[in-house]
Amino acid sequence: MPTPEYHAKKSPSSAHRWIHCPASIKLSAGIPTTTSQYAEAGRLAHSIAELKARKRFLVLNKRTYNAQLKKLQADEHYAPEMDGYTDLYVETLEQHAMTFQSAPFIALETSVPIGLFTSENKEDGTPATGTADCIQIAESVLWVTDYKNGAGVPVEADHNPQMMTYALGALSMYALIYGDSIQTIRLTIVQPALKSVSDWEISRGALEEWGHDILTPAAVRADSEDPGDPFPGDWCRFCPIKNQCRERANKVLAVEAFGKKLPPLLSDAEVGQALQQADGLVSWYNDLKEYALQSCLAGKQIAGFKAVEGKKSRDWDNLDTAFADLQQHGVAEALLWERKPATVAGLEKAIGKKTFAEVSAGHVTVSPGKPTLVPESDKRPEFNAAAQAFNPIN
Ligand code: SF4
């Protein structure tokens, strides 16, 4: 099973942040890491994914597999859709394996020495490690695959620093066996909740160049006396000090002065510019509010604010007894129970994607989504109102 106890300071999963903002490593040192329901669900889904992959590719007898799966499914964070999600992960690994002419070498949940590239050692002096979900090696190819359980932001494999760091670690770990025979690196991120399988390929030379020119210098800078000023960007989202970081606050609060002598109405170009500048404002404000609330609850003073009790909620003390009493007092049963149809998404979540697809065939309609504003870099095609008007509803 995955062993997540050890976390490198300059971890692959936070590499996107510290490569852009090396200062964040020292500034966040000592801040306790918190976990969330989503993180726990992700950990559990990883364990299920690993178990299924072990059964498919390595030696694991059916009895042990069933017993371990049952145990994982009894976990409080288990959700039925995890079964379909982890099946997709194993199917993707199978497809990768089948692209080779002979069976590849496969390693699951493997610690790779990333510290060789991030200039970090463990307490025992050995290089810091990161855990790669699946590594396949055959015919001059090293293929690293990562499972992501989240449904929040889609994660692309293209130039993904986390995946590139794992690949560098894997290359060095298997160098004794494979030498220079590995020349092509493939990276895949399977994110079933968003129906996404993202692939990217890079040559060994280009990967090592990135490690040498980008990764290691950022890591060395992060540890240096002068790691530079904090540098805010979309990587702040997962920074441990994102609530209090002054540079982040400065960035989101900075408003360009549109000169008084200019026309009273903003041009479309200025609207775009203002939207880009305000990017991150809402999430920063929400982070700050949450930080202030927790501080007030902990007895600290946040100037101009205090914590109060929110709206009260009422509930039955004992549903069975309360309803029996109410019926005795003449309240009709039909008034006591509301019957609501399950939503498509809700039922799919409850019974799992696979079963849902089997039993709901022909009963689900899909209506076009509402137009929404996104940055130009978004991969979805531009909304075409004319085409939508002539599209029949599926
Ligand atoms: S919040 Fe952003 S700018 Fe501030 S230290 Fe963290 S990553 Fe750097």
Side-chain angles (χ1 to χ4, degrees):
M1 294 294 108
T3 45
E5 287 79 20
Y6 172 74
H7 281 293
K9 206 164 43 133
K10 284 163 280 173
S11 69
S13 59
S14 60
H16 180 55
R17 164 170 59 85
W18 59 259
I19 286 172
H20 286 94
C21 180
S24 65
I25 293 290
K26 277 196 175 153
L27 288 171
S28 59
I31 304 272
T33 48
T34 52
T35 188
S36 67
Q37 216 172 294
Y38 301 110
E40 292 305 320
R43 239 192 289 283
L44 176 68
H46 263 88
S47 298
I48 296 174
E50 184 198 353
L51 182 69
K52 289 185 178 179
R54 265 189 203 292
K55 177 169 170 266
R56 171 63 187 82
F57 296 106
L58 308 176
V59 184
L60 186 64
N61 73 51
K62 206 173 166 187
R63 212 161 151 195
T64 311
Y65 169 79
N66 287 338
Q68 290 188 3
L69 185 62
K70 212 170 154 193
K71 200 171 158 200
L72 292 170
Q73 288 173 333
D75 189 288
E76 60 174 313
H77 296 102
Y78 172 76
E81 71 260 25
M82 283 180 188
D83 283 324
Y85 289 177
T86 48
D87 284 348
L88 177 69
Y89 169 69
V90 177
E91 278 161 26
T92 309
L93 297 184
E94 274 171 357
Q95 285 164 12
H96 292 174
M98 280 160 63
T99 60
F100 300 114
Q101 285 175 355
S102 53
F105 161 79
I106 296 185
L108 300 169
E109 294 292 328
T110 308
S111 283
V112 292
I114 53 139
L116 298 173
F117 310 92
T118 60
S119 72
E120 181 176 341
N121 283 340
K122 293 185 186 177
E123 278 176 8
D124 63 6
T126 58
T129 52
T131 307
D133 290 349
C134 178
I135 297 168
Q136 298 193 24
I137 303 176
E139 298 155 19
S140 81
V141 174
L142 179 139
W143 204 327
V144 184
T145 306
D146 195 52
Y147 172 86
K148 299 230 178 281
N149 198 55
V153 185
V155 188
E156 301 294 333
D158 192 338
H159 285 93
N160 184 298
Q162 177 182 13
M163 300 298 287
M164 291 166 85
T165 309
Y166 287 146
L168 281 171
L171 265 181
S172 70
M173 187 157 109
Y174 296 112
L176 269 178
I177 306 170
Y178 294 96
D180 286 339
S181 67
I182 296 170
Q183 286 302 320
T184 303
I185 314 299
R186 291 191 190 134
L187 305 174
T188 297
I189 295 177
V190 185
Q191 199 173 4
L194 295 178
K195 299 186 177 74
S196 166
V197 177
S198 173
D199 299 304
W200 189 56
E201 186 176 299
I202 182 172
S203 70
R204 177 189 187 135
L207 178 73
E208 287 176 339
E209 203 175 297
W210 173 82
H212 182 269
D213 295 349
I214 307 287
L215 184 67
T216 304
V220 171
R221 196 165 172 208
D223 290 335
S224 71
E225 286 295 309
D226 178 16
D229 290 332
F231 184 60
D234 70 349
W235 43 87
C236 295
R237 248 161 60 89
F238 299 110
C239 181
I241 56 154
K242 64 179 180 179
N243 297 326
Q244 288 174 280
C245 176
R246 187 176 301 281
E247 279 302 320
R248 185 181 180 218
N250 286 343
K251 181 171 186 256
V252 293
L253 291 176
V255 178
E256 185 97 352
F258 294 109
K260 279 185 186 160
K261 288 181 188 153
L262 293 173
L265 300 186
L266 295 178
S267 68
D268 287 352
E270 285 170 321
V271 168
Q273 188 192 337
L275 279 172
Q276 276 181 22
Q277 262 182 252
D279 187 38
L281 188 66
V282 175
S283 61
W284 172 77
Y285 173 73
N286 289 335
D287 290 342
L288 206 63
K289 259 178 89 177
E290 183 56 27
Y291 169 79
L293 173 63
Q294 294 309 327
S295 299
C296 288
L297 292 177
K300 293 188 198 164
Q301 296 288 323
I302 297 288
F305 288 86
K306 63 181 178 184
V308 294
E309 187 183 354
K311 195 177 162 206
K312 288 186 194 301
S313 65
R314 297 183 299 168
D315 208 348
W316 305 111
D317 62 342
N318 179 317
L319 193 71
D320 294 338
T321 336
F323 277 23
D325 269 359
L326 286 162
Q327 277 184 275
Q328 268 190 1
H329 285 88
V331 179
E333 190 176 0
L335 290 176
L336 294 174
W337 297 97
E338 288 175 358
R339 213 165 155 234
K340 281 199 255 171
T343 60
V344 169
L347 187 62
E348 186 182 61
K349 194 169 177 200
I351 64 177
K353 268 188 190 317
K354 210 167 150 197
T355 313
F356 180 79
E358 284 163 14
V359 299
S360 70
H363 295 298
V364 177
T365 61
V366 183
S367 348
K370 251 172 64 180
T372 181
L373 190 69
V374 295
E376 222 166 21
S377 54
D378 192 285
K379 290 201 168 152
R380 285 168 287 181
E382 193 161 347
F383 185 80
N384 183 334
Q388 285 289 354
F390 289 104
N391 250 352
I393 289 177
N394 293 322

